[in-house]
Amino acid sequence: MTFREISTYNINTLRRHYVAEISGSLGDLGTFLPIAIALAVNDTISLSSTLIFSGVYNILTGLFFGIPLPVQPMKAIAAVAIAKSFPAGAITAAGIFVGACILVFSVTGLLRWFTDAIPIPVIKGIQVGAGLSLIIGAGGSVVSSLGWTHPSWADNLIWAIVAFVSLLITNIDRRVPYALIIFVLGLVFALIRSATAGHLPSLGFWHPFVFAPTRGEWAHGIFNAGIGQIPLTTLNSVVAVVHLSADLLPQVSTPSITSVGLSVAAMNLLGCWFGAMPVCHGSGGLAAQYRFGARSGSSVVILGAVKLFIGLFFGESLVELLKRFPTALLGVMVIAAGLELASVGESLNTMGARDIAKASVLGGTTPLTDEERRRRWTVMMVTVGLLVGFRNDGVGFVAGMLCHWIYKAPALVQRLREKFSRVRLE
């Protein structure tokens, strides 16, 4: 699709379904807000810069890709930075390092090769595993931090149950703007609690500042967080998100692997220098925004414009407000995203799987045998199980690939024997 065609699609979709697009734009906030708040409270990132740069990225990806491609935190870097109280320079170094690696992978064609070499059951396993990880993480957060009446009247297990039951009800009619309703409710609760505590946001213009890591911070950030992020970014933020966009939005031209990789690289090679949080495009965020109604790039353009405005004029004063946004409501939004992402595994052995559909178009293949279905399902579940069990995309990927290759080994050995026999006869 050309830029004009993408723009026309965005505008027409927004005109027809503006409530759904606005609601869908909020789908990924359940992941974005908690991590951004935790890093900002520790002075590891600048909240103003994070809102401004992620807002700009949202606008550009919406305009040029035409799909609700999310801009979300690099979770492996964020987790280490929070656990080890990273200084700003260390997280800057980690984000720039990952951006540089993805740039090299994109320019050299390694990303395209990587995508072609990974079997569909492993890719779907990564998607399902990421979805289950979101559900487990959100569920653990809700259970560990909430009681029936605490920590406050606006944030407790009762509200979590109400939000979850409401989510189930809206599955009957997905035109209901669930995310918009939940976000507005949570924002009202946060404003009331902030006003009671005397911490309402105040006007304050953004003052950019460059974060230049020291030699020690470069080493600290790269070796403790950057290296561990590379498999997650490559598999979930590039490969899986491209496949998921083709599954969810077949009517829109799917972004190329290279373009998504270059986008991830550019975001971090620019914004991290100004204290912005390292970000990527994740399949979980895309599933969340799709679940809550987003179908075009206009949804993230709207979100980006709001982020940009708030970051420029309110910035750091929002930290106290966002800290009071109910965990109960955010947690259920993340669970909804995880459920949507995990559901893509259902199409593994149907025409919804890209390799089956492609083979059918090219040569009219016969249906999969029961044995082939069982093997594909096993490969996917091995990937899911090891990813969730070890909480590491790389471990799940390696396990799934090993399982796939072991299943392929007998056929490969047979072909080699036949080839060797033909050579001997000649």
Side-chain angles (χ1 to χ4, degrees):
M1 294 176 72
T2 65
F3 181 75
R4 176 176 291 183
E5 290 172 331
I6 291 173
S7 300
T8 300
Y9 173 74
N10 285 341
I11 293 171
N12 290 340
T13 305
L14 182 62
R15 284 175 176 171
R16 292 194 302 266
H17 310 289
Y18 60 92
V19 175
E21 289 296 300
I22 294 172
S23 177
S25 71
L26 305 172
D28 195 36
L29 292 183
T31 300
F32 184 90
L33 287 182
I35 293 177
I37 293 168
L39 292 172
V41 167
N42 293 334
D43 291 325
T44 302
I45 63 167
S46 163
L47 184 60
S48 297
S49 295
T50 295
L51 289 171
I52 290 168
F53 280 97
S54 66
V56 171
Y57 304 151
N58 277 135
I59 293 171
L60 292 177
T61 53
L63 291 176
F64 286 96
F65 291 127
I67 61 174
L69 196 62
V71 175
Q72 56 182 193
M74 286 189 173
K75 298 181 185 67
I77 289 179
V80 175
I82 293 169
K84 297 187 177 183
S85 299
F86 264 26
I91 198 170
T92 295
I96 293 171
F97 171 75
V98 175
C101 290
I102 298 300
L103 176 63
V104 173
F105 296 163
S106 302
V107 171
T108 59
L110 283 173
L111 278 179
R112 290 194 305 274
W113 174 86
F114 200 55
T115 304
D116 294 337
I118 303 175
I120 292 297
V122 174
I123 291 174
K124 286 194 175 292
I126 292 168
Q127 294 171 335
V128 174
L132 293 179
S133 295
L134 286 175
I135 296 168
I136 293 169
S141 174
V142 168
V143 170
S144 64
S145 62
L146 302 179
W148 290 108
T149 57
H150 66 273
S152 79
W153 61 270
D155 193 14
N156 50 55
L157 284 175
I158 295 174
W159 279 114
I161 293 172
V162 169
F164 183 71
V165 172
S166 300
L167 173 67
L168 297 180
I169 293 172
T170 57
N171 280 328
I172 300 172
D173 185 356
R174 292 200 172 192
R175 292 174 297 178
V176 176
Y178 175 84
L180 181 59
I181 294 171
I182 292 296
F183 179 75
V184 170
L185 180 64
L187 189 60
V188 170
F189 286 174
L191 284 168
I192 293 172
R193 295 173 67 191
S194 295
T196 304
H199 291 296
L200 285 173
S202 58
L203 189 66
F205 297 103
W206 179 50
H207 298 288
F209 182 82
V210 174
F211 290 78
T214 64
R215 181 179 299 179
E217 288 173 337
W218 279 109
H220 187 45
I222 290 172
F223 289 105
N224 286 284
I227 293 175
Q229 179 66 50
I230 290 176
L232 179 60
T233 297
T234 304
L235 297 172
N236 186 45
S237 302
V238 181
V239 177
V241 80
V242 170
H243 281 263
L244 185 63
S245 67
D247 292 340
L248 297 180
L249 299 161
Q251 74 277 16
V252 188
S253 178
T254 303
S256 69
I257 288 289
T258 301
S259 63
V260 174
L262 290 174
S263 177
V264 172
M267 290 191 299
N268 293 285
L269 292 175
L270 175 61
C272 289
W273 290 106
F274 295 91
M277 177 174 61
V279 291
C280 58
H281 303 304
S283 57
L286 176 58
Q289 290 171 165
Y290 180 88
R291 166 61 182 83
F292 294 125
R295 296 295 185 272
S296 75
S298 60
S299 60
V300 288
V301 170
I302 294 170
L303 175 63
V306 173
K307 282 184 182 178
L308 184 58
F309 175 80
I310 294 175
L312 284 172
F313 297 106
F314 293 95
E316 308 303 328
S317 69
L318 288 171
V319 173
E320 292 299 323
L321 172 65
L322 295 178
K323 283 170 61 178
R324 290 176 171 80
F325 197 98
T327 300
L329 304 185
L330 279 178
V332 175
M333 289 177 70
V334 175
I335 289 172
L339 291 171
E340 186 69 32
L341 185 55
S343 68
V344 302
E346 180 269 338
S347 65
L348 173 67
N349 290 323
T350 70
M351 289 297 294
R354 178 179 290 192
D355 56 343
I356 297 176
K358 183 178 180 180
S360 177
V361 171
L362 292 177
T365 59
T366 57
L368 294 174
T369 64
D370 288 342
E371 178 64 18
E372 288 171 332
R373 292 175 183 274
R374 185 187 68 80
R375 289 185 175 186
R376 286 167 65 88
W377 180 260
T378 301
V379 171
M380 184 180 79
M381 294 310 298
V382 166
T383 305
V384 171
L386 273 292
L387 187 155
V388 173
F390 286 88
R391 299 181 182 181
N392 188 298
D393 286 46
V395 172
F397 168 73
V398 171
M401 290 301 296
L402 283 174
C403 184
H404 171 76
W405 287 331
I406 289 172
Y407 277 139
K408 294 293 183 181
L412 178 60
V413 170
Q414 181 62 30
R415 285 198 298 270
L416 290 174
R417 284 178 176 174
E418 292 174 356
K419 184 177 181 179
F420 182 70
S421 298
R422 286 197 300 269
V423 171
R424 289 185 62 184
L425 291 174
E426 292 174 357

